[in-house]
Amino acid sequence: MSEPIKDLATTAKPCSYECSLASHLSKSFENGKIGANREGGIEMKYVCQVCGYIYDPEVGDPDSNVAPGTPFENIPDDWVCPVCGASKDMFAPVS
């Protein structure tokens, strides 16, 4: 005969990676997009549709006084692409 199943509440170890990832994604998923979430480090990148430059929130744009960690949505509306000068509305989320 096989051993009885032990109580999972006392024997199961909490998952770490899967649970923290699921928790992070549920916190950062807003309006159908991955939103800025500095806790887990997942922030959406945006690409310039004119020249292909990719704005990475983790890097920011120091030459334009946009600090690392700044989500694209929080960049001033008068910011332009540092490569070609295209306006902010010429950027699209990287999928």
Side-chain angles (χ1 to χ4, degrees), residues 43-47 54-58 72 92-95:
E43 294 180 351
M44 183 165 290
K45 296 178 182 180
Y46 282 74
V47 62
I54 296 178
Y55 174 76
D56 182 349
E58 290 185 19
F72 187 80
V94 174
S95 54

Side-chain angles (χ1 to χ4, degrees), residues 24-81:
H24 167 72
L25 289 176
S26 67
K27 289 178 191 172
S28 63
F29 190 79
E30 298 172 3
N31 300 324
K33 295 181 181 177
I34 297 293
N37 185 335
R38 293 183 191 168
E39 289 177 30
I42 295 178
E43 294 180 351
M44 183 165 290
K45 296 178 182 180
Y46 282 74
V47 62
C48 176
Q49 296 176 2
V50 176
C51 72
Y53 168 80
I54 296 178
Y55 174 76
D56 182 349
E58 290 185 19
V59 176
D61 182 9
D63 293 337
S64 298
N65 295 320
V66 178
T70 303
F72 187 80
E73 295 81 9
N74 293 353
I75 296 174
D77 290 334
D78 63 350
W79 177 84
V80 296
C81 176

